[in-house]
Amino acid sequence: MIEPGLFLFGLFLLLLFVGVPILTSIGVTALLFLWTFNLGLQVTASNVYANIAKFPLLAIPFFILAGFVMDRAGLSRGLVHLLNLIIGPVRGGLGLVAVGGCVFFGAISGTGPADTAAIGTVMIPAMVRRGYAVGFAAALVAAAATTDVLIPPSVAFVVYAVITETSVSRLFAAGVLPGLLMGLALIVPVIWISRRRGWGGEPWGTAREIAAAAWGAKWGLVAPVVILGGIYGGVFTPTEAAVVAVGYGLFVGFVVFRNLGFRDLYEIFRDSAVATSVVMIVVGFAGLFAWTGSTLGVMDRAAKALLGFSDNPYVILLLLNVMLIVAGMLLDAISIYYVFVPIFLPLMKQFGWDPVWFGVMMTVNLAIGTITPPVAVNLYVASRIAGTSMEEISRWVLPFFVALLAALVLVIYIPALSLWLPDALGIR
């Protein structure tokens, strides 16, 4: 008889290889195994419902909605203008503005594609007008938007917290320094390439212009303080913070900027509903896939196989991260969490790894996956905005991939980068 684990993952990978969509591959594989091994197809509905009917997951639709609302309200434009006056004139300055804008908007939004769209629509055309290569501009914004997955609030951390029963607030705090580190790592290739190409920036802003821009961007600057300050101050939970973020964005759009109307709400809710449905359907069926594998004992045997490969934790870490990088090229982050975390949990217990640090490490790795083709959602969004091909963007993304990989290595081997802030804030 064929080993169930080889059959399970083999069929899943085969479906991916022949071009079947990820969701269909996961769902069909899980359902086939439920039928083949007499686990009962009747458990499908209750299992899928149980996977999505969890209170922390309510944060996902609201953070996605908040991102759409704040993008449509134009909060990113004021932030980008302020950054441009401060750091835009230096060599490669517009590239640095793009990185800073993505990092800052990451504290408002919760997903990389939303960050790519919000900053890309402003920065990619601006960089092209100043002589930057369109492929470089698009690849940079896509790479900088990977920080959104780490900078709280983060949809990815919510999913990981639900699977591992880890504190969402602690994960949010743990992601801050690694997210900033990723942004700093991107500065190196930006300056290096810009100096070689002779790309500059805009004129320096005067003190009066900077002050005026800061005042104009105040609502964007205050947003992270309201959202994150409320979470860490104990005013509301991360799930409640997502609702507050939506309310804040609607208030700014309707009352302050007055650039949102009820007609805009239809498009905002429609786009948010589509994005949310994609995420939640994946959560439901990926959870079913993970439950099927666990019930058959596949996950435990896979973990034991990894432990049999080596008892050196650093070798295992290297192996796990190589696996995740390859998986990130083929799967979305949520599917990877549900497929791989049940395998990794016994390893965490075996080596005494902190689940928060491990979650941050895993999320940094999966954030890099958003710019590694063929499944590179940030690159696809940037490609549409820039009006250029994926081939052109992929040619420019390599130096940014290397920079983010260096940040990942530091996160792996210096756990304090992830654990210092939540420990300092006393978050449990």
Side-chain angles (χ1 to χ4, degrees):
M1 184 175 180
I2 299 176
E3 159 63 33
L6 293 176
F7 193 14
L8 181 71
F9 287 102
L11 177 59
F12 174 52
L13 294 175
L14 176 62
L15 291 174
L16 286 178
F17 181 75
V18 299
V20 177
I22 295 171
L23 175 60
T24 305
S25 300
I26 289 177
V28 168
T29 303
L31 291 173
L32 182 60
F33 266 70
L34 288 174
W35 176 71
T36 302
F37 291 93
N38 297 316
L39 297 178
L41 287 174
Q42 65 273 14
V43 306
T44 302
S46 59
N47 196 294
V48 170
Y49 176 77
N51 287 326
I52 61 177
K54 297 175 180 177
F55 180 73
L57 290 179
L58 282 174
I60 293 177
F62 282 107
F63 276 134
I64 290 175
L65 177 58
F68 277 101
V69 170
M70 294 184 183
D71 178 32
R72 188 65 64 89
L75 287 178
S76 63
R77 288 189 284 273
L79 296 171
V80 167
H81 178 55
L82 173 61
L83 290 171
N84 192 38
L85 291 175
I86 297 174
I87 62 177
V90 303
R91 182 66 70 186
L94 287 185
L96 301 181
V97 171
V99 174
C102 285
V103 170
F104 204 96
F105 196 76
I108 301 174
S109 173
T111 64
D115 202 354
T116 305
I119 302 301
T121 51
V122 179
M123 288 306 307
I124 293 176
M127 294 174 72
V128 172
R129 285 196 299 269
R130 291 294 296 178
Y132 291 75
V134 63
F136 171 87
L140 172 59
V141 171
T146 61
T147 61
D148 193 296
V149 185
L150 276 296
I151 300 289
S154 166
V155 169
F157 279 149
V158 173
V159 174
Y160 177 86
V162 168
I163 297 173
T164 60
E165 299 181 354
T166 308
S167 166
V168 178
S169 297
R170 188 166 172 81
L171 280 165
F172 277 6
V176 173
L177 290 182
L180 295 176
L181 177 65
M182 293 169 69
L184 291 173
L186 291 172
I187 290 176
V188 177
V190 168
I191 294 177
W192 177 62
I193 295 173
S194 297
R195 284 182 174 175
R196 291 185 60 194
R197 299 274 177 164
W199 293 331
E202 303 289 338
W204 288 104
T206 64
R208 179 173 295 181
E209 289 174 332
I210 293 174
W215 180 254
K218 62 182 179 296
W219 294 102
L221 295 170
V222 168
V225 177
V226 172
I227 299 170
L228 302 181
I231 295 174
Y232 300 141
V235 180
F236 38 70
T237 67
T239 304
E240 293 165 345
V243 181
V244 172
V246 173
Y248 181 87
L250 291 174
F251 172 77
V252 172
F254 275 97
V255 179
V256 180
F257 292 165
R258 298 183 180 179
N259 56 0
L260 285 183
F262 288 103
R263 291 183 178 179
D264 298 309
L265 284 182
Y266 169 75
E267 294 184 1
I268 291 172
F269 285 130
R270 180 198 63 197
D271 295 342
S272 300
V274 171
T276 300
S277 64
V278 171
V279 172
M280 298 309 291
I281 290 174
V282 171
V283 167
F285 280 96
L288 180 65
F289 180 93
W291 178 85
T292 303
S294 296
T295 302
L296 293 172
V298 172
M299 305 307 182
D300 287 337
R301 286 195 292 274
K304 290 178 181 177
L306 287 172
L307 287 171
F309 183 81
S310 174
D311 58 0
N312 187 316
Y314 295 105
V315 173
I316 295 296
L317 276 176
L318 177 62
L319 180 61
L320 296 187
N321 278 280
V322 170
M323 290 172 56
L324 290 173
I325 288 175
V326 174
M329 296 178 181
L330 303 171
L331 301 170
D332 64 280
I334 293 173
S335 300
I336 293 173
Y337 283 132
Y338 277 95
V339 171
F340 286 95
V341 168
I343 298 174
F344 295 162
L345 282 173
L347 300 177
M348 286 188 240
K349 294 178 181 178
Q350 174 73 21
F351 294 111
W353 291 333
D354 189 298
V356 171
W357 161 76
F358 193 90
V360 172
M361 177 198 71
M362 189 172 180
T363 304
V364 172
N365 197 310
L366 300 186
I368 296 174
T370 62
I371 61 167
T372 52
V375 180
V377 289
N378 286 9
L379 290 188
Y380 283 111
V381 174
S383 174
R384 289 198 300 269
I385 294 171
T388 188
S389 66
M390 279 290 292
E391 291 76 15
E392 175 65 14
I393 298 179
S394 299
R395 187 171 66 86
W396 284 97
V397 83
L398 181 59
F400 305 126
F401 171 78
V402 173
L404 292 174
L405 209 58
L408 172 62
V409 172
L410 292 177
V411 170
I412 293 172
Y413 292 106
I414 308 178
L417 287 172
S418 304
L419 301 177
W420 176 81
L421 186 58
D423 288 342
L425 295 175
I427 300 174
R428 296 298 172 193

